[in-house]
Amino acid sequence: MTLALRTSTRSRRRGVVGFLYTLPALVLVTVFFLVPLALLIWMSLHRWPLLGKPIWVGLANYLAIGGDGTFGQSLLFTAVYTVIITPILFLLGFGLAMLVKEQRRGAGVFRTVYFMPYVIGFASSAYLWLWLIDPSVGPIDKLLTDLGITGQPFGWTDTPTGALFAVIMSVVWKVVGFTMLLLMSGMQSVPGDVQEAAKVDGAGRFASLWHVMLPLLRRNIALVLVFSVVGSMLAFEQFYILTAGGPGNRTLTIVYWIYNSSFANFQLGYGAAMSVVLLVMLMLISGVQLYLLRDRSE
């Protein structure tokens, strides 16, 4: 009886200690995620002016989204941008990870060089590329002209395709190092004896990569794709600075339209409703990605 009582007391004490350890994280999640999320949902049910008293409108803001052509156009453009840039980031990051994963001389320098742009903020990176592609002072147009690739300044932001390509170049330059790092960490954790066994069994480089490396990288690949898709669907700074949504709103992303609705048109309730819809969409997309890339051996 005494032993059972001691065991129960020790178990209760461990539970209290465990709760105290998790309490700071619970407070942070509650203050910085759950409370703002509840406020966002509450705002989405109101006509919420910048100044003045909010008016309850129920689901009117959500119903208005269905008739908003700009919402559909910006959502479609964001989806196209995501579909284009996600494989580019993954393939380039995978290639760089393959090059620098081994502990050989000079590999650390290249890892640092590839990863360094990631520590720069998106806004700073976008302003840097705004200068690089400037037809009057930027070096990219001058280089293309000197090499004879173009006969005159390209005018990157004059056409939707050029503007999108400029943004993709800037994002790839900034983010590909982070993708490389995530994939490289997974490659370095693959046991060497597994790869040696594949070689002994006669597997070539491609067969070893396809049948050994990629299945063992499933979790890293899932993480990279979720980060890439979510980050692309939330793209804002690079388009705001490099293209301003133009020309003719052809590079207007969904977050850019939420920003305009909320802080340019002062429709905070409508912007909150669009944010909730986008949140639900991202949860569904991420859930599908994680389900498709789950480890079926578990």
Side-chain angles (χ1 to χ4, degrees):
M1 183 67 180
T2 304
L3 180 60
L5 183 60
R6 286 179 180 175
T7 303
S8 175
T9 303
R10 192 179 301 123
S11 176
R12 196 180 307 116
R13 187 178 301 164
R14 286 179 178 173
V16 172
V17 172
F19 174 75
L20 291 176
Y21 273 122
T22 58
L23 186 59
L26 288 175
V27 171
L28 288 175
V29 170
T30 302
V31 172
F32 293 107
F33 178 69
L34 295 180
V35 172
L37 179 62
L39 178 60
L40 179 73
I41 296 173
W42 180 249
M43 288 180 67
S44 71
L45 302 174
H46 291 76
R47 182 180 299 119
W48 198 293
L50 192 62
L51 299 174
K53 187 177 180 181
I55 300 172
W56 172 267
V57 295
L59 299 176
N61 286 326
Y62 291 95
L63 296 176
I65 292 175
D68 186 352
T70 306
F71 177 85
Q73 177 187 335
S74 60
L75 182 61
L76 177 61
F77 171 75
T78 307
V80 170
Y81 166 70
T82 302
V83 169
I84 293 175
I85 199 167
T86 297
I88 294 176
L89 282 175
F90 177 79
L91 293 175
L92 286 178
F94 192 89
L96 292 177
M98 290 290 289
L99 290 175
V100 300
K101 68 184 176 67
E102 303 291 347
Q103 297 292 341
R104 62 183 66 165
R105 180 177 296 181
V109 175
F110 284 101
R111 290 173 196 160
T112 305
V113 170
Y114 296 147
F115 182 74
M116 198 174 293
Y118 186 72
V119 303
I120 303 174
F122 255 118
S124 303
S125 168
Y127 276 117
L128 173 63
W129 277 86
L130 187 64
W131 170 73
L132 288 172
I133 64 173
D134 189 297
S136 57
V137 296
I140 293 182
D141 267 332
K142 185 175 185 309
L143 178 64
L144 294 177
T145 305
D146 291 345
L147 293 175
I149 298 175
T150 58
Q152 57 185 0
F154 187 72
W156 295 91
T157 57
D158 294 343
T159 63
T161 304
L164 176 60
F165 190 67
V167 171
I168 288 175
M169 285 194 302
S170 71
V171 174
V172 168
W173 173 80
K174 174 176 164 40
V175 178
V176 73
F178 182 62
T179 304
M180 174 204 72
L181 192 68
L182 292 176
L183 293 171
M184 185 187 70
S185 63
M187 291 176 183
Q188 291 177 337
S189 65
V190 175
D193 54 348
V194 175
Q195 300 183 59
E196 290 298 327
K199 289 181 182 177
V200 171
D201 290 341
R205 287 189 177 183
F206 180 77
S208 178
L209 174 68
W210 186 260
H211 295 291
V212 178
M213 181 75 79
L214 288 180
L216 294 175
L217 288 178
R218 187 183 294 273
R219 291 180 179 177
N220 296 75
I221 293 173
L223 185 64
V224 165
L225 292 180
V226 169
F227 278 172
S228 180
V229 169
V230 171
S232 302
M233 290 294 291
L234 296 178
F236 172 68
E237 297 99 323
Q238 56 269 44
F239 288 96
Y240 181 80
I241 294 171
L242 281 173
T243 72
N249 283 344
R250 298 287 296 277
T251 59
L252 190 70
T253 64
I254 183 63
V255 174
Y256 202 156
W257 178 232
I258 291 173
Y259 169 82
N260 281 345
S261 298
S262 300
F263 302 109
N265 302 330
F266 302 116
Q267 298 174 327
L268 295 180
Y270 183 58
M274 288 193 290
S275 299
V276 172
V277 171
L278 180 60
L279 173 65
V280 173
M281 292 173 62
L282 288 177
M283 291 173 63
L284 291 174
I285 293 172
S286 299
V288 171
Q289 284 182 288
L290 293 175
Y291 176 78
L292 294 176
L293 292 168
R294 71 188 187 283
D295 191 349
R296 293 177 175 81
S297 63
E298 294 181 349

